[in-house]
Amino acid sequence: MTDKKLGINTRCTHAGELNDTQFKGAISPLYMSTSYAFEDVEVKRYPRYFNTPNQVALAEKMAALENGEAALIFGSGMAAVSNAMMAFLHSGDHVVLQNTLYGGTRNLIMEEFKKFGISYSFTKNLKPESFEAEIKENTKVIYIETPSNPLLTITDLNAISKIAKKHRLVSMIDNTFASPVNQNPIDFGIDVVIHSATKYMGGHSDILAGTVISSEAHIETIFQLAKNFGGNLSDYTVWLLERSIKTMGLRVKAQNKNAKKLAKYLEKHEDVERVYYPGLRSHPDHELAKSQMRGFGGMLSFELKDGINASLFQKQLKMIKPSMSLAGVESTILLPTLTSHALLSAEERAAEGIKDNLMRFSVGIEEKEDLIADLEQALVAVKELKV
């Protein structure tokens, strides 16, 4: 069940299934053992080697969803990011990264890479020529994120792929915000696709995981490092994640629909200064997003007008939860300055365009009328506060 011609819901449901040969159950059995036989077996299975039955099956599902050849499952999204990059970077190497990135990734680069003698450059903007301008003789990797966290910027996948191939570099993308439902970067020539599977793949705010999908050759390179770093996921969580992915196509399509309607509502609101959502015609890269995405995602960001305190506004919400993560079936909201990008300095956030009143809104599957009503009452309430 890995044929990419199959529909997304079919692949979510059936790719990488484990057959219950003993009892003929309808779902994948769970193999909890951390110890397996080593004599007279084809595969010496060990959890840290990413090859227990449930790990192997879920990796097949991940590869099928992203049209890749192979995958690895990690204990978190950052484990996936760090293992993927470190597998292709050594002392003396250089990496080019887009200037708008998840704060945790940026912090990894700035705090850890110098310890390993790895240099890096952030682009000045997202134009292809900005990436090419930063390439040096020792550059080995180009790393992008589209749509980006939290400003939903869009990077041209075709252009980055061509630049990487021209200079014989490994291209990598954090595809978390899009999910495999909305975007498949491998189809555009990107080499390595990374997800925080905690987000849309898990989808219920109760699983921490990450995944890397690529060619068999690249996954083998990553595996040789990852088995030593020990960042695999427990089999019980692997099993839970496989279960959750079965409904990902349905969930994400509902979130796409809601987010687009909420973005249009907020864009017209008198108390909102700006909305960031690639599905809006006002988004500067709307046409580019249309060319490489099947849906625009469930994430948006917005800024309230001066004089309306964003933190107090969030405290007035009754249904939408001020919460740290994203992409669950429930709608959540946060301030990047206090959460996802808190590790960056004020100057670094300003350079990325992240203002103190910027809010990242992860739209869930609730009825849009109920979400709009909650936003409305919170705006009324915050303006009535004497602060």
Side-chain angles (χ1 to χ4, degrees):
M1 278 288 181
T2 57
D3 189 343
K4 70 178 183 180
K5 294 179 182 179
L6 294 172
I8 184 64
N9 290 325
T10 304
R11 280 179 282 158
C12 283
T13 305
H14 293 293
E17 284 184 305
L18 280 175
N19 291 324
D20 183 353
T21 57
Q22 184 175 5
F23 298 109
K24 309 299 181 183
I27 65 170
S28 297
L30 169 58
Y31 295 93
M32 290 288 289
S33 180
T34 58
S35 184
Y36 290 85
F38 63 91
E39 290 187 318
D40 303 320
V41 294
E42 291 184 10
V43 178
K44 291 182 174 63
R45 300 188 186 278
Y46 190 62
R48 184 166 56 82
Y49 278 58
F50 301 85
N51 65 358
T52 58
N54 290 97
Q55 286 177 302
V56 170
L58 182 56
E60 290 178 5
K61 186 185 289 286
M62 295 298 192
L65 290 171
E66 281 289 12
N67 302 329
E69 293 178 356
L72 291 173
I73 316 299
F74 290 90
S76 69
M78 281 309 302
V81 170
S82 57
N83 276 272
M85 279 203 272
M86 295 300 290
F88 293 93
L89 294 168
H90 304 86
S91 180
D93 290 343
H94 173 262
V95 56
V96 175
L97 309 107
Q98 73 176 55
N99 62 327
T100 51
L101 284 179
Y102 167 56
T105 302
R106 195 179 185 100
N107 191 63
L108 165 73
I109 302 298
M110 300 178 71
E111 292 296 321
E112 305 300 333
F113 275 26
K114 57 189 175 184
K115 300 175 184 177
F116 298 94
I118 299 168
S119 60
Y120 56 88
S121 300
F122 290 102
T123 62
K124 292 180 175 60
N125 53 56
L126 299 182
K127 294 179 180 178
E129 52 267 31
S130 184
F131 284 87
E132 196 147 25
E134 300 298 335
I135 294 174
K136 308 177 186 299
E137 289 186 2
N138 59 335
T139 303
K140 295 295 188 295
V141 170
I142 291 183
Y143 186 96
I144 64 173
E145 179 182 309
T146 182
S148 71
N149 181 356
L151 293 175
L152 288 303
T153 58
I154 303 297
T155 308
D156 190 329
L157 296 177
N158 265 323
I160 298 304
S161 169
K162 290 177 181 177
I163 291 170
K165 287 176 171 54
K166 175 184 174 182
H167 296 276
R168 298 182 179 181
L169 309 177
V170 177
S171 55
M172 298 185 182
I173 181 174
D174 182 338
N175 200 36
T176 299
F177 265 30
S179 89
V181 179
N182 291 323
Q183 181 172 271
N184 296 125
I186 288 173
D187 292 351
F188 295 86
I190 300 298
D191 296 312
V192 179
V193 177
I194 302 166
H195 286 273
S196 171
T198 308
K199 311 305 191 298
Y200 287 107
M201 289 179 171
H204 295 80
S205 304
D206 57 5
I207 290 171
L208 183 68
T211 185
V212 179
I213 305 102
S214 189
S215 65
E216 289 183 357
H218 283 337
I219 290 298
E220 177 62 23
T221 299
I222 299 168
F223 165 72
Q224 292 302 327
L225 175 79
K227 68 180 181 182
N228 295 326
F229 277 9
N232 65 285
L233 192 62
S234 76
D235 281 297
Y236 180 64
T237 311
V238 166
W239 182 83
L240 288 173
L241 182 54
E242 194 264 344
R243 172 216 59 181
S244 295
I245 289 174
K246 290 183 178 183
T247 61
M248 179 175 64
L250 300 173
R251 289 185 280 101
V252 169
K253 288 175 183 177
Q255 288 164 306
N256 288 347
K257 186 176 180 181
N258 265 358
K260 190 171 184 179
K261 291 178 179 177
L262 268 293
K264 288 181 177 180
Y265 152 76
L266 288 167
E267 187 177 42
K268 295 177 181 178
H269 203 287
E270 62 180 5
D271 293 327
V272 176
E273 182 66 32
R274 185 172 179 182
V275 179
Y276 302 84
Y277 185 68
L280 293 175
R281 292 180 181 178
S282 58
H283 191 286
D285 292 315
H286 175 64
E287 292 301 319
L288 175 58
K290 281 175 62 178
S291 73
Q292 60 191 35
M293 300 181 74
R294 289 181 293 275
F296 298 110
M299 298 299 304
L300 63 92
S301 292
F302 65 100
E303 298 163 3
L304 296 176
K305 289 191 174 176
D306 290 344
I308 304 176
N309 187 296
S311 180
L312 290 177
F313 162 74
Q314 291 186 8
K315 292 177 181 178
Q316 309 311 309
L317 293 166
K318 296 179 179 178
M319 178 186 300
I320 301 165
K321 295 178 173 66
S323 187
M324 286 278 284
S325 195
L326 59 98
V329 291
E330 69 287 339
S331 293
T332 60
I333 196 167
L334 58 72
L335 287 161
T337 55
L338 300 180
T339 56
S340 62
H341 290 68
L343 294 174
L344 305 185
S345 67
E347 292 75 19
E348 288 164 346
R349 288 194 295 269
E352 285 196 40
I354 300 171
K355 298 180 180 179
D356 288 345
N357 68 338
L358 177 76
M359 288 178 283
R360 192 188 73 191
F361 186 11
S362 173
V363 182
I365 65 171
E366 306 95 337
E367 275 69 29
K368 73 177 190 303
E369 295 82 4
D370 296 331
L371 294 172
I372 288 173
D374 194 25
L375 292 167
E376 282 288 351
Q377 68 81 24
L379 284 167
V380 171
V382 73
K383 288 188 291 184
E384 290 178 348
L385 292 175
K386 302 300 180 180
V387 293

